[in-house]
Amino acid sequence: MERYIDLRSDTVTQPTPGMRRAMAEAEVGDDVFGEDPTVQRLQERIARLLGKEAALFFPSGTMANEVAIRAHTMPGDEVIIEATSHPVTSESGAAAALSGVQFRPLPGRRGILSAVQIEEAINPPDIHRPPSRLLCLENTHNFGGGSVFPLEEILRIREVALRHGLAMHLDGARLLNACTATGIPAHLYAEPFDSVSLCLSKGLGAPVGSVLAGTSSFIEKALRFRKMFGGGMRQVGILAAAGLYALDHHVDRLEEDHIHARMLAEGIATLPGVRLNPDHVETNIVIFDIAPSGMTPMQAAARLQEEGVLVLPFGPNRLRAVTHLDVDGDDIQKALQIFQRVFS
Ligand code: TLP
């Protein structure tokens, strides 16, 4: 059979020939000794992009988030965080295991929290209660369906955090998707946060890599915890070169992924076996409810796979489809015909 149209995640992309060439030709050194010039170029470039003093390269978004949590907190602290955000749902309990912190998960609206909701959740000083130390937001929000966190609300949240002495971390794994959707530059989204992580291996199409940015003293602290967590890497300029290539070649094209996601959403929304409001699809993630089809997510994903489309079961009654640089307009049309067969 011909190849699958793989919509499971924007992490499934193949490095392009140009990216592979850039990787092969990268100048490298031992990065644990701070001697890899390509890693340094990438870190400086991301720090500039996010308007921060410094940045640090990581093997994964998970490690970047978890090191940020470790560097901002002490064991016994409380982290205020949206209930379906990545560290809560998808990082294997790392914050509890590696940082000894307690999450205070708040229900968001498609992943988005309000300043009022956050202020109500902050613990007053009281020896019975864990000190509320850190606030984590996610932009775009994965489980929220690629939703964009409104900048005005982030600024209101920043005021609350400042008033109560909380640090703020942004999981910006897909921050450039938010920038593409709104036209707001990355440094403005990043400005209210003490630290920001950004993934190169999602919509940007690099095979590996995330970068954490913040003040120089924060990044110095993060460097130590990265080593402690086993994330010190050696001639890793080979991977940083892929990230630099992605920043040069794969940012402007994110718009295309958003158009494809929208096409997909509008088509899927018309099918009787599915519930989906296409207006909720703001970036490259399409999450839809398949309860009316009578199938479980596993059954529906298996049916779609038989027909040539891969999607991800994403909680009770839900499937997720994500667009990326390895699917084009023709693939979307073909996928829609398959969705039609499965959900009509
Ligand atoms: N997300 C993956 C899965 O883990 C769900 C995906 O396919 O979307 N923050 C956010 C918002 C993410 O979506 C992800 C990965 C991460 C962090 C972690 O990145 P990695 O996979 O590099 O550890």
Side-chain angles (χ1 to χ4, degrees):
M1 91 158 259
E2 41 178 334
R3 74 177 177 95
Y4 288 113
I5 300 166
D6 193 345
L7 303 173
R8 286 171 301 167
S9 182
D10 46 9
T11 60
V12 301
T13 54
Q14 292 287 319
T16 61
M19 182 179 278
R20 285 175 188 267
R21 262 195 308 279
M23 295 171 75
E25 289 163 9
E27 205 188 330
V28 297
D30 189 327
D31 187 53
V32 173
F33 292 144
E35 290 174 3
D36 191 302
T38 310
V39 170
Q40 280 165 14
R41 270 205 295 137
L42 175 68
Q43 291 176 165
E44 282 158 19
R45 175 132 176 217
I46 296 277
R48 256 200 323 279
L49 177 75
L50 297 176
K52 300 293 181 202
E53 287 173 8
L56 191 61
F57 189 49
F58 282 82
S60 70
T62 298
M63 195 189 283
N65 279 340
E66 293 302 333
V67 162
I69 291 171
R70 183 67 188 83
H72 282 300
T73 61
M74 296 278 286
D77 283 347
E78 191 162 84
V79 176
I80 296 179
I81 189 163
E82 201 279 329
T84 64
S85 64
H86 202 269
V88 177
T89 60
S90 310
E91 298 185 5
S92 207
L98 306 177
S99 297
V101 292
Q102 170 163 306
F103 278 151
R104 178 80 176 267
L106 303 180
R109 207 179 245 215
R110 293 192 296 121
I112 309 303
L113 298 174
S114 73
V116 172
Q117 195 181 7
I118 288 167
E119 187 149 32
E120 283 171 2
I122 294 173
N123 285 331
D126 175 341
I127 58 157
H128 298 88
R129 301 193 186 218
S132 307
R133 188 81 63 201
L134 175 66
L135 170 64
C136 292
L137 304 181
E138 188 173 307
N139 193 12
T140 63
H141 198 291
N142 184 1
F143 280 64
S147 48
V148 176
F149 215 116
L151 183 55
E152 319 81 71
E153 198 57 33
I154 297 174
L155 294 173
R156 279 192 283 270
I157 291 170
R158 180 66 190 165
E159 276 177 35
V160 170
L162 276 176
R163 218 174 319 120
H164 294 272
L166 267 71
M168 278 175 60
H169 171 69
L170 175 64
D171 178 346
R174 297 185 179 85
L175 183 62
L176 296 183
N177 291 88
C179 299
T180 300
T182 60
I184 296 173
H187 68 92
L188 288 186
Y189 273 125
E191 201 274 330
F193 293 91
D194 300 286
S195 58
V196 180
S197 59
L198 184 140
C199 284
L200 301 162
S201 60
K202 310 240 157 23
L204 297 182
V208 178
S210 282
V211 182
L212 177 67
T215 61
S216 303
S217 62
F218 174 81
I219 291 300
E220 224 169 276
K221 219 169 159 186
L223 176 62
R224 173 164 180 252
F225 289 122
R226 186 185 70 175
K227 191 80 185 100
M228 185 189 281
F229 289 14
M233 299 178 286
R234 303 294 178 174
Q235 285 69 18
V236 73
I238 286 185
L239 298 177
L244 285 164
Y245 183 91
L247 291 170
D248 285 335
H249 299 278
H250 295 165
V251 176
D252 289 345
R253 60 153 310 288
L254 288 174
E255 177 72 36
E256 222 174 287
D257 295 345
H258 296 183
I259 292 168
H260 290 156
R262 186 77 195 190
M263 278 164 55
L264 203 59
E266 278 167 5
I268 292 174
T270 63
L271 303 176
V274 169
R275 267 195 298 254
L276 166 65
N277 179 351
D279 290 340
H280 287 171
V281 176
E282 299 171 69
T283 57
N284 69 329
I285 297 180
V286 184
I287 293 179
F288 49 100
D289 182 342
I290 57 157
S293 75
M295 286 184 277
T296 66
M298 292 297 281
Q299 287 167 336
R303 277 284 292 121
L304 288 165
Q305 177 163 359
E306 278 167 27
E307 302 272 346
V309 172
L310 302 180
V311 297
L312 218 55
F314 222 60
N317 300 327
R318 302 204 310 172
L319 292 180
R320 184 186 75 166
V322 185
T323 55
H324 51 76
L325 63 89
D326 284 352
V327 289
D328 60 19
D330 281 351
D331 292 327
I332 298 297
Q333 291 309 334
K334 277 188 215 143
L336 274 173
Q337 287 165 8
I338 292 170
F339 279 112
Q340 211 156 12
R341 282 205 288 280
V342 172
F343 291 109
S344 285

